[in-house]
Amino acid sequence: MVKNVGLELNNDGLPSLARFKKVGSRMALSMEQPVLLSINLCNLKFFNEIYGPSVGDDLINYMVRYFCFDNESCEIGTRSYVDHLLILCEGNGESRLELSDRYEEFLNQFLDNVNRKYPRARIHLDCGMYIIQPGDDFLSAQDNARYARRSIHNSYSNTIAFYEKTLREESLAKA
């Protein structure tokens, strides 16, 4: 659940991206095992074409509620784009495998709920994860979670990817 940190919040109940960066960087310093998640809701455009933009807005609101407010590990989250979330979570000392298993189940439950209610437009999620290390720059940590997410973009066989150093190197080499 997003912690009440006395922030000005957007209509979705989350802080702006700028506030997330500022507050999240301070929060991460005091956490046992800060983990950044970058989550992308795939096929939103197709979903909107079938069900309409107002139902698409409802879907985004459900996504925010599910991943930020119903997620007990969530410390703070924000929408970085309409269909992208950045979430700072407490990892509670779990291994990468344990985190991956826990969030795989969490993401699959979300997908099952949505796809059961809206079967004509199968949505998919991409989730990149990065465990913040002592001394990491918070903005670089966000980029690392995004690199991980982009490494599996539109891969329907993978929902979660952890950041690996080679992902940043490959991305910079392409630039």
Side-chain angles (χ1 to χ4, degrees):
M1 167 181 281
V2 173
K3 305 294 188 253
N4 181 357
V5 289
L7 298 175
E8 270 186 49
L9 304 176
N10 295 328
N11 292 340
D12 56 13
L14 298 176
S16 68
L17 180 58
R19 294 296 295 162
F20 171 82
K21 291 175 182 179
K22 186 175 183 178
V23 173
S25 64
R26 286 193 309 246
M27 291 176 86
L29 293 173
S30 63
M31 294 170 65
E32 176 187 341
Q33 184 187 26
V35 178
L36 268 171
L37 306 178
S38 174
I39 300 175
N40 175 41
L41 177 65
C42 304
N43 299 335
L44 181 62
K45 184 176 179 178
F46 181 64
F47 183 93
N48 284 341
E49 288 174 10
I50 292 174
Y51 292 103
S54 66
V55 177
D57 291 345
D58 292 343
L59 175 61
I60 294 296
N61 289 332
Y62 175 60
M63 179 180 165
V64 166
R65 207 171 44 255
Y66 186 87
F67 289 105
C68 297
F69 295 99
D70 296 345
N71 178 359
E72 293 179 7
S73 298
C74 178
E75 296 291 326
I76 188 171
T78 192
R79 284 177 38 193
S80 56
Y81 300 103
V82 171
D83 55 356
H84 292 84
L85 293 176
L86 281 171
I87 306 167
L88 178 63
C89 296
E90 178 56 66
N92 298 312
E94 291 180 309
S95 69
R96 285 172 53 140
L97 179 61
E98 291 168 324
L99 286 167
S100 181
D101 286 348
R102 178 162 56 98
Y103 278 100
E104 185 81 33
E105 185 177 321
F106 200 60
L107 270 65
N108 284 337
Q109 183 63 49
F110 174 84
L111 290 171
D112 288 347
N113 292 344
V114 171
N115 289 327
R116 194 175 324 108
K117 187 172 182 178
Y118 304 105
R120 293 178 33 220
R122 306 285 296 169
I123 63 159
H124 180 71
L125 295 171
D126 297 332
C127 178
M129 299 179 80
Y130 179 69
I131 300 172
I132 301 174
Q133 303 301 309
D136 278 353
D137 175 71
F138 193 69
L139 295 178
S140 293
Q142 291 173 65
D143 289 342
N144 292 346
R146 286 187 187 114
Y147 286 132
R149 177 181 49 77
R150 289 181 184 143
S151 75
I152 58 167
H153 185 63
N154 291 327
S155 167
Y156 286 81
S157 60
N158 295 320
T159 305
I160 294 179
F162 268 93
Y163 172 78
E164 301 290 339
K165 189 175 181 179
T166 56
L167 296 175
R168 179 182 285 271
E169 293 166 355
E170 289 170 6
S171 182
L172 293 175
K174 289 178 186 176

